[in-house]
Amino acid sequence: MMKVLFALATIAAIGAVPVVAQESCEAGFRLFEHGGGQTCIPEKAERIVGLHDQSITLTLLEIGAPVVGSHGRVADDGREFLRSVEEMLGYTFENSGIGFVGSYPLDVEAIAALSPDLIIARTYDLDLRQQYEVIAPTVFIADDPQDPMNFARDVADASGELEEWERLLEAYQRNIETARRTFPELVGQSYAKIQAWDGKLTVYAGYGGLTKVLEDLGLVRTPFAQAMSDRGVAWGEEVSVELLPEQQADYTFDTYNIAGGDTYGAARQRLVDVLPNWCDVLKSCSEGRYIVLPREYSTGYGFSQLNTLIPLITTHAARVPVGD
C-alpha cells in the first residue's frame, strides 16, 4: 500500500500532463483531442491500461498495442476474465501478463502499480478523471452514434497504432463486399433482435457489432426497431409480450452468454418462459430463421468479432433462405 501511495505522490510531483486546452506538447508527446478535452500523450505509448475489456482492450490487442493492464469481469466462481478477449484472441489475465485493475468500480491503486504511460478510458469514466490523470495521461473516448467504429478508431489513434487498425478495417470491408456479392439476396431483408430474461421480453434497436454487420450486409431493421432508434434508443427496451407480433422479420436474432455459463438452448427456453407459443407467433422462428449467436461475438466492434459474424450470419441465412 505504501509503495503505491508513494508512486502516486511521485507521479503527481513530476506532473502528469493535465487535460486542458493546449497548443503544443513536450518532446516525445503529441496533442490528442478526445471526449475529455485535449491531452498530451506519448507519441508511441509503451505501457497502456485499457479501462474496458471488450471495447478498449480487445481493440488494443488486435492492433498489437502494448497493454499492461485492463478492466475485466469476475465470474461467479471468482475467476477474473476479459470478456470477448478470451473467446476471440485467447488472451487471459493468466497467460498474457495483463494486470487486472478491477471490474466496476476500478482499482486506482492497481492501475498505479502498473506504471502506465497512457490510460485509455470511456467518457463514462470521466467522474474519476482526476485520479487517473495523477497516474498517467488519460484519454476519454466517446461513443459516436453516427459511426460506432469511430470509438475503436480513436482508441487505435491514441495508442499510436492507427495504421494497423485501418489495415484491419480495409480487410473487414473486403470481407463484407465478398459476402454481399455471394449473398445478394440478403440486401433488403429485415431483421429483429430480441431477448428474454427473467420472464421479460427485450427488443433491441441496435446490438453493437451485430447490428453493424447486419446493416453492412444490407439487412434492415423492422419498423418497430427503427422507430426505437429514431427516438434515440441505442440498445434495447423491455416491452410487453403483447408486442411480440410486431417483431415480425425475415430473420430474428438472439444471443446467449458464454462467460455466464449460458447455452444456445437457454436463450430459446427463456422466450418460452415469456410466451410458450412464441415460435409460432414469429414466422422467422417457425420457418427456421431464428438465429442464436454468442453474446461475446456479437456486441463489440473488434475486427475479430465482426469478421466472425459475417460467416455466422451468412451461413445461417443460406441454410434456410427467405421463401424456402
Side-chain angles (χ1 to χ4, degrees):
M1 171 70 76
M2 291 303 297
K3 289 182 178 179
V4 172
L5 292 175
F6 177 76
L8 286 169
T10 301
I11 294 169
I14 62 175
V17 182
V19 185
V20 295
Q22 304 175 62
E23 294 183 358
S24 62
C25 301
E26 62 184 88
F29 287 78
R30 61 188 174 102
L31 196 61
F32 187 82
E33 188 169 343
H34 55 96
Q38 293 180 322
T39 303
C40 288
I41 66 173
E43 291 179 351
K44 193 74 169 179
E46 297 180 353
R47 298 183 61 81
I48 303 174
V49 169
L51 298 191
H52 193 265
D53 49 6
Q54 180 174 251
S55 63
I56 296 175
T57 304
L58 176 60
T59 292
L60 292 171
L61 292 172
E62 285 184 336
I63 58 180
V67 180
V68 297
S70 176
H71 151 273
R73 320 290 170 111
V74 180
D76 291 341
D77 62 3
R79 186 178 74 90
E80 298 161 355
F81 68 97
L82 292 154
R83 185 183 186 191
S84 297
V85 175
E86 293 190 16
E87 290 81 8
M88 307 314 303
L89 301 181
Y91 290 112
T92 67
F93 285 115
E94 293 76 20
N95 70 19
S96 65
I98 297 172
F100 175 66
V101 300
S103 190
Y104 288 102
L106 297 172
D107 188 335
V108 176
E109 293 182 0
I111 296 171
L114 294 170
S115 301
D117 60 358
L118 177 65
I119 298 171
I120 301 180
R122 304 176 298 168
T123 49
Y124 302 105
D125 304 308
L126 276 166
D127 56 335
L128 293 179
R129 168 186 204 156
Q130 292 183 339
Q131 295 185 52
Y132 298 145
E133 289 169 356
V134 168
I135 301 170
T138 305
V139 298
F140 299 89
I141 310 300
D143 290 320
D144 183 348
Q146 302 305 314
D147 185 355
M149 293 300 285
N150 282 338
F151 182 97
R153 179 182 287 105
D154 286 347
V155 169
D157 189 6
S159 75
E161 299 291 346
L162 182 57
E163 184 176 342
E164 175 63 11
W165 186 87
E166 290 178 338
R167 184 188 70 81
L168 294 175
L169 175 63
E170 290 176 0
Y172 165 73
Q173 291 170 337
R174 287 194 298 271
N175 290 337
I176 283 290
E177 290 170 4
T178 298
R180 286 182 68 118
R181 185 172 64 251
T182 308
F183 297 93
E185 63 273 18
L186 289 180
V187 176
Q189 298 293 323
S190 61
Y191 73 90
K193 168 64 179 80
I194 64 173
Q195 180 178 302
W197 193 262
D198 288 339
K200 298 178 181 179
L201 176 67
T202 298
V203 174
Y204 288 86
Y207 205 75
L210 175 60
T211 295
K212 175 171 178 56
V213 174
L214 288 169
E215 296 191 349
D216 284 351
L217 289 171
L219 286 89
V220 297
R221 292 182 177 96
T222 62
F224 189 97
Q226 187 58 55
M228 291 173 64
S229 178
D230 291 344
R231 57 184 170 83
V233 178
W235 288 85
E237 290 181 338
E238 287 185 3
V239 302
S240 168
V241 67
E242 295 176 354
L243 295 176
L244 187 64
E246 294 188 35
Q247 314 314 314
Q248 298 289 353
D250 295 312
Y251 295 92
T252 297
F253 291 86
D254 199 348
T255 54
Y256 65 99
N257 183 9
I258 295 173
D262 209 359
T263 65
Y264 172 94
R268 178 183 284 263
Q269 182 59 48
R270 284 191 288 266
L271 285 166
V272 171
D273 293 341
V274 169
L275 185 67
N277 68 331
W278 76 271
C279 193
D280 296 327
V281 173
L282 295 183
K283 187 176 180 181
S284 56
C285 180
S286 62
E287 294 184 354
R289 294 186 300 278
Y290 166 66
I291 301 172
V292 184
L293 302 173
R295 200 165 300 163
E296 287 82 354
Y297 293 26
S298 305
T299 53
Y301 295 96
F303 291 116
S304 51
Q305 295 167 306
L306 301 179
N307 285 316
T308 299
L309 284 171
I310 295 172
L312 285 177
I313 293 168
T314 54
T315 298
H316 277 90
R319 183 176 64 85
V320 186
V322 172
D324 281 23

